[in-house]
Amino acid sequence: MRKFYGLLLLGSSALILSGCGAGDVASPGTGGNVTINNPAAPAPTPTPTPTSSLVTAAAGCPTIADPQGLTDGGTISGPTGAYRVCRLPSLIKVSSTLPKISGLLYEMNGRVNVGCDGGFSAPTAGAPVTSTTIGCATPLTADTNVTLTIAPGAILYGATGQSFLAVNRGNKINATGTATAPIIFTSRDNVLGLNSDTSQGQWGGVILLGRARTTDCNVGTVAADTCERDTEGSPDLARYGGRDDAYNAGTMSFVQIRYSGFVLGADKELQALTTEGIGTGTTLDHIQAHNSSDDGSEFFGGAFNFRYYIATGADDDSMDVDTGARANFQYVMLLPRAGKGDALFEIDSNGNEADTPRTKLQVSNFVAVQQQTSSDNEAADQAAALFRGNSDTTLVNGIIVAPNNECIRINGSGTTPATLTARSVVLQCNATKYIGTGSITAAQVATAFGAGSNNNSDTFTNSLTGTGLYFNGASENAITTFDPTSLSSFFLATPTPFRIGAAWTENNAWYTGWTCNSATANFGSTSTACTSLPTT
């Protein structure tokens, strides 16, 4: 994430998120003579004129279990038709389901809280909470244990820039879409048909708070295993952290999060998905973050697994992992817009190098493409991948393409600086390739990567195809793979043949249908345009 922190909350129901890391020494960029096989840039994807009948607004809002119910906000119209607007309450007090109904959209008008937080450990979870004690500004003695279930195909939108969904500690989300009926979180402008391929930052995003371990404490200490962290800048309590590394924040599967990251103040903005202290009980898979004005997603603390993650068009880092997060990712596409974005990866716990657990990231099967020099990149993270602070990163079976930028920067700080391990990873960078700052030299970064050993190469010329350059060609398929199952039982060494990268002929179905297409990346005819809403 950029070097700024926090998120300014407007009003008592707003929340602030922060990024981590301060800027280091600027790099001028070196150009270079590496060739990239870029296809001609496609024209911006227009909002299509529907070929079928326009959507007709539903007659009214459904009844949900929460006693406050949904507020009928009338109708809203766009190029795909008319929709009934059903406004969510600011606090969902009891477990409720949002069904998929043709011609109906769910509106978030400001911060929407899923349940309230019962404290650090909430040992008596399930105790009743009355209307006189409920309220997310003050910790409770027990969790509310609320689960918000969202049906496949349902669409939720932020009515204002300050709108976002916060699943508070001690509560869950069950947003389980399907490959043919993804759940979509988006903006009002998207509904109205006003967006283009450059639109971003039109509402907040989705935030999951949990009780797994974190670092950089606001409350308690790492030494006493009482570390908690506040979502910075929030006048209402938004706290995460605990001792439960198996914490279950629910499920998000087959989900798109579009046009998020509203700027609430100078250097204060959200991103598409933010996780804070979630644990291995949480299920995350098949999630696309599209055109976030900040990071594609940021992961603060916790311990979790994530399979099938796509970040398209992020305006800052495509993947940001920090404050003691321990995470495994497999099948990842990091595809910022041309000329936009900072780093593809930013991994750290910068400034708190004595804290444990250290940030530990393991990624297998990824493709990360920075098609041209980004002014943001040169001013901040300086390379396509930044590793610093109290972090240990393992990258295997991956592709980093950044022909006009340096590929890897490691900043050394603390007694044990950041580490990098690479296996079967190929780089296409400018002539400089590596940057070392702090206590680390560029030569040490080169040694850490280890080109010429472990099937790594820093002289690779890609043969990627597809809009966005995400699909393997012959050069990628010729690289010997590393068996990721030796790292964790989470990882798969399938399908067969098993390749580096994220998409190849035998592995080309996982990203189709549930994703949305743009000038940044087109995932095929079964995926619809990001600038439009599905009409089914």
Side-chain angles (χ1 to χ4, degrees), residues 359-413:
T359 297
K360 181 181 179 182
L361 173 67
Q362 300 186 131
V363 185
S364 180
N365 298 97
F366 65 90
V367 56
V369 179
Q370 196 172 62
Q371 295 198 41
Q372 64 189 59
T373 301
S374 163
S375 58
D376 282 349
N377 177 273
E378 290 304 299
D381 288 354
Q382 305 171 27
L386 170 62
F387 310 101
R388 64 178 176 185
N390 201 24
S391 66
D392 303 303
T393 302
T394 299
L395 303 179
V396 303
N397 302 319
I399 305 158
I400 296 177
V401 174
N404 298 300
N405 281 325
E406 298 84 356
C407 262
I408 297 175
R409 174 180 163 222
I410 300 178
N411 181 66
S413 57

Side-chain angles (χ1 to χ4, degrees), residues 421-448:
T421 301
R423 300 288 185 268
S424 298
V425 175
V426 296
L427 308 179
Q428 182 173 347
C429 314
N430 69 13
T432 300
K433 301 180 185 178
Y434 308 106
I435 302 174
T437 52
S439 62
I440 301 291
T441 67
Q444 288 174 307
V445 178
T447 298

Side-chain angles (χ1 to χ4, degrees), residues 297-485:
S297 297
E298 184 161 12
F299 308 94
F300 293 90
F304 59 94
N305 299 311
F306 196 148
R307 188 172 285 127
Y308 307 124
Y309 168 60
I310 298 174
T312 49
D315 203 47
D316 193 18
D317 307 315
S318 295
M319 178 190 289
D320 195 335
V321 182
D322 43 41
T323 65
R326 289 136 292 143
N328 296 316
F329 285 79
Q330 188 169 25
Y331 297 114
V332 171
M333 297 183 187
L334 307 180
L335 307 171
R337 282 175 289 158
K340 294 292 183 180
D342 195 345
L344 299 164
F345 296 95
E346 182 180 307
I347 315 302
D348 63 18
S349 254
N350 205 43
N352 291 275
E353 283 79 0
D355 281 0
T356 55
R358 287 171 66 92
T359 297
K360 181 181 179 182
L361 173 67
Q362 300 186 131
V363 185
S364 180
N365 298 97
F366 65 90
V367 56
V369 179
Q370 196 172 62
Q371 295 198 41
Q372 64 189 59
T373 301
S374 163
S375 58
D376 282 349
N377 177 273
E378 290 304 299
D381 288 354
Q382 305 171 27
L386 170 62
F387 310 101
R388 64 178 176 185
N390 201 24
S391 66
D392 303 303
T393 302
T394 299
L395 303 179
V396 303
N397 302 319
I399 305 158
I400 296 177
V401 174
N404 298 300
N405 281 325
E406 298 84 356
C407 262
I408 297 175
R409 174 180 163 222
I410 300 178
N411 181 66
S413 57
T415 303
T416 305
T419 66
L420 172 65
T421 301
R423 300 288 185 268
S424 298
V425 175
V426 296
L427 308 179
Q428 182 173 347
C429 314
N430 69 13
T432 300
K433 301 180 185 178
Y434 308 106
I435 302 174
T437 52
S439 62
I440 301 291
T441 67
Q444 288 174 307
V445 178
T447 298
F449 177 73
S453 61
N454 298 308
N455 301 309
N456 297 330
S457 171
D458 63 5
T459 58
F460 188 72
T461 299
N462 86 89
S463 60
L464 296 167
T465 62
T467 303
L469 300 179
Y470 60 83
F471 195 86
N472 281 12
S475 298
E476 290 75 29
N477 288 344
I479 302 298
T480 301
T481 56
F482 174 84
D483 182 1
T485 62

